[in-house]
Amino acid sequence: QVQLVESGGGSVQVGGSLRLSCVVSGLTYSSYCMGWFRQTPGKEREGIAALDSAHDTAYAESVKGRLTVSEDSVKGTLYLQMNDLKPEDTAMYYCAARQHLLPAHVDLLNPAEYNHWGQGTPVTVSS
Protein backbone atom coordinates (compact mmCIF):
# COMPACT_ATOMS: atom_id res chain seq x y z
CA GLN A 1 0.00 0.00 0.00
CA VAL A 2 1.46 3.31 -1.10
CA GLN A 3 1.24 6.11 1.44
CA LEU A 4 2.32 9.73 1.22
CA VAL A 5 2.53 12.17 4.12
CA GLU A 6 3.34 15.85 3.51
CA SER A 7 4.75 18.32 6.00
CA GLY A 8 6.48 21.70 6.04
CA GLY A 9 3.67 24.02 5.03
CA GLY A 10 3.01 27.23 6.88
CA SER A 11 2.82 30.99 6.64
CA VAL A 12 5.61 33.09 5.19
CA GLN A 13 6.07 36.63 3.95
CA VAL A 14 6.62 37.59 0.33
CA GLY A 15 10.14 36.70 -0.75
CA GLY A 16 10.50 34.07 1.94
CA SER A 17 11.28 30.37 1.63
CA LEU A 18 9.77 27.07 2.68
CA ARG A 19 10.73 23.45 2.19
CA LEU A 20 7.96 20.91 1.87
CA SER A 21 8.61 17.23 2.56
CA CYS A 22 6.66 14.16 1.54
CA VAL A 23 7.49 10.79 3.06
CA VAL A 24 6.61 8.12 0.53
CA SER A 25 6.26 4.46 1.48
CA GLY A 26 5.10 1.36 -0.34
CA LEU A 27 6.63 1.96 -3.76
CA THR A 28 7.85 -1.43 -4.92
CA TYR A 29 8.52 -0.94 -8.64
CA SER A 30 11.75 0.58 -9.87
CA SER A 31 9.91 2.82 -12.33
CA TYR A 32 7.96 5.66 -10.73
CA CYS A 33 7.19 9.32 -10.82
CA MET A 34 6.46 11.71 -7.98
CA GLY A 35 5.29 15.28 -8.04
CA TRP A 36 3.97 18.32 -6.26
CA PHE A 37 0.61 19.82 -7.05
CA ARG A 38 -1.33 22.72 -5.63
CA GLN A 39 -4.92 23.82 -5.49
CA THR A 40 -6.88 26.86 -4.41
CA PRO A 41 -10.65 26.99 -3.82
CA GLY A 42 -12.63 26.95 -7.03
CA LYS A 43 -9.66 26.09 -9.21
CA GLU A 44 -8.36 22.85 -10.65
CA ARG A 45 -5.38 21.14 -9.16
CA GLU A 46 -2.23 22.09 -11.05
CA GLY A 47 1.09 20.34 -11.35
CA ILE A 48 4.04 22.50 -10.43
CA ALA A 49 7.09 20.24 -10.09
CA ALA A 50 7.76 16.56 -10.61
CA LEU A 51 10.47 14.01 -11.21
CA ASP A 52 10.74 10.39 -12.23
CA SER A 53 13.00 7.41 -11.70
CA ALA A 54 14.90 8.29 -14.90
CA HIS A 55 15.90 11.56 -13.20
CA ASP A 56 13.79 13.68 -15.51
CA THR A 57 12.17 16.76 -13.97
CA ALA A 58 9.36 19.05 -15.01
CA TYR A 59 8.29 22.46 -13.74
CA ALA A 60 5.37 24.73 -14.40
CA GLU A 61 6.38 28.01 -16.03
CA SER A 62 5.07 29.97 -13.06
CA VAL A 63 7.58 28.37 -10.67
CA LYS A 64 10.69 27.87 -12.80
CA GLY A 65 13.75 29.33 -11.12
CA ARG A 66 12.02 29.57 -7.73
CA LEU A 67 10.98 26.02 -6.84
CA THR A 68 13.12 22.91 -6.91
CA VAL A 69 11.96 19.32 -6.60
CA SER A 70 14.29 16.63 -5.32
CA GLU A 71 14.21 13.25 -3.66
CA ASP A 72 16.21 11.36 -1.08
CA SER A 73 15.71 7.76 -2.11
CA VAL A 74 17.38 6.46 1.04
CA LYS A 75 14.94 8.35 3.25
CA GLY A 76 12.04 7.75 0.86
CA THR A 77 11.28 11.45 0.86
CA LEU A 78 10.29 13.94 -1.83
CA TYR A 79 11.12 17.59 -1.28
CA LEU A 80 9.99 20.90 -2.70
CA GLN A 81 12.29 23.82 -1.96
CA MET A 82 10.36 27.03 -2.48
CA ASN A 83 12.22 30.34 -2.68
CA ASP A 84 11.14 33.90 -3.46
CA LEU A 85 7.56 33.06 -2.60
CA LYS A 86 4.74 35.22 -3.93
CA PRO A 87 1.14 35.72 -2.79
CA GLU A 88 -0.05 33.69 -5.80
CA ASP A 89 1.82 30.69 -4.39
CA THR A 90 -0.76 30.51 -1.59
CA ALA A 91 -2.51 27.14 -1.91
CA MET A 92 -2.90 23.65 -0.53
CA TYR A 93 0.09 21.64 -1.68
CA TYR A 94 -0.15 17.93 -2.38
CA CYS A 95 2.41 15.30 -3.26
CA ALA A 96 1.51 12.41 -5.50
CA ALA A 97 3.11 9.25 -6.83
CA ARG A 98 2.66 6.66 -9.47
CA GLN A 99 4.63 3.51 -10.06
CA HIS A 100 4.76 1.25 -13.08
CA LEU A 101 6.23 -2.14 -13.76
CA LEU A 102 7.97 -1.02 -16.94
CA PRO A 103 9.28 2.44 -17.91
CA ALA A 104 6.45 4.50 -19.32
CA HIS A 105 6.00 7.95 -20.79
CA VAL A 106 4.12 10.06 -18.27
CA ASP A 107 3.01 13.67 -18.42
CA LEU A 108 4.67 14.51 -15.14
CA LEU A 109 2.59 17.62 -14.40
CA ASN A 110 -0.80 16.09 -15.21
CA PRO A 111 -2.69 15.20 -12.00
CA ALA A 112 -4.65 12.52 -13.89
CA GLU A 113 -1.45 10.50 -14.32
CA TYR A 114 -1.14 9.91 -10.56
CA ASN A 115 -3.03 7.42 -8.42
CA HIS A 116 -1.57 7.95 -4.97
CA TRP A 117 -1.99 11.23 -3.09
CA GLY A 118 -1.11 12.74 0.24
CA GLN A 119 -3.49 14.71 2.42
CA GLY A 120 -1.98 18.10 1.62
CA THR A 121 -0.15 20.82 3.51
CA PRO A 122 -1.17 24.49 3.37
CA VAL A 123 1.09 27.33 2.29
CA THR A 124 0.15 30.97 2.85
CA VAL A 125 2.26 33.81 1.49
CA SER A 126 1.40 37.26 2.79
CA SER A 127 2.65 40.70 1.84
Side-chain angles (χ1 to χ4, degrees):
Q1 182 178 358
V2 179
Q3 293 185 321
L4 301 94
V5 180
E6 303 100 331
S7 62
S11 297
V12 64
Q13 291 190 326
V14 169
S17 298
L18 282 174
R19 189 177 79 157
L20 306 184
S21 300
C22 176
V23 177
V24 184
S25 60
L27 290 180
T28 56
Y29 297 158
S30 58
S31 295
Y32 60 85
C33 52
M34 298 187 289
W36 289 97
F37 300 78
R38 66 186 182 190
Q39 190 171 23
T40 55
K43 292 190 176 181
E44 293 186 353
R45 191 169 297 187
E46 64 166 335
I48 54 172
L51 52 76
D52 65 19
S53 49
H55 306 293
D56 295 321
T57 58
Y59 292 93
E61 285 297 326
S62 59
V63 305
K64 279 184 179 178
R66 301 188 298 117
L67 274 59
T68 304
V69 62
S70 62
E71 66 169 326
D72 183 329
S73 57
V74 175
K75 294 182 178 180
T77 303
L78 182 72
Y79 299 102
L80 184 67
Q81 178 65 43
M82 304 192 293
N83 299 327
D84 189 22
L85 284 164
K86 304 176 180 181
E88 51 265 41
D89 294 317
T90 295
M92 184 69 78
Y93 283 71
Y94 300 88
C95 68
R98 165 182 165 164
Q99 59 180 347
H100 22 271
L101 186 60
L102 297 174
H105 175 70
V106 176
D107 181 356
L108 291 176
L109 297 182
N110 184 354
E113 296 275 22
Y114 294 80
N115 53 0
H116 303 288
W117 292 86
Q119 81 289 349
T121 186
V123 171
T124 302
V125 183
S126 57
S127 55

